[in-house]
Amino acid sequence: ENFAVVEEYGSCNGNLFSFYRINADQRLLQVSFSTSEDGRIFASKFESITFNSESGELKVTYYDNSLAQERSDTYIYSEKNNSFALSS
């Protein structure tokens, strides 16, 4: 699988990321997230997102203002659903 990522300004704490999968016909298909209605995720500017295309695991670090601390979530990609689901 090939993926493309678009990063947009989110706030002083972080940015918004959209993931796209490039299919066999070379078309871009937006990948959805189980925790997002608009298909984007928020990640800290000073940390990184890490994606392992072999395992389909995506680790996202962000600052949670309600908890006043950094948090990390792990998502697993499903090719069948073309989506990332929050790992339990």
Side-chain angles (χ1 to χ4, degrees), residues 9-74:
Y9 176 81
S11 74
C12 62
N13 287 337
N15 290 330
L16 296 164
F17 294 84
S18 301
F19 279 72
Y20 297 86
R21 181 174 61 89
I22 303 169
N23 71 7
D25 297 330
Q26 300 300 307
R27 294 185 183 180
L28 285 176
L29 304 172
Q30 186 169 12
V31 179
S32 62
F33 283 85
S34 62
T35 57
S36 171
E37 291 182 17
D38 67 1
R40 300 181 298 173
I41 54 169
F42 184 82
S44 177
K45 286 184 180 181
F46 307 108
E47 298 292 333
S48 63
I49 57 173
T50 305
F51 179 58
N52 181 328
S53 61
E54 290 181 18
S55 68
E57 185 176 276
L58 173 70
K59 184 175 180 182
V60 179
T61 302
Y62 60 95
Y63 189 82
D64 187 328
N65 284 330
S66 66
L67 300 174
Q69 67 182 14
E70 291 262 329
R71 292 198 42 161
S72 290
D73 289 335
T74 300

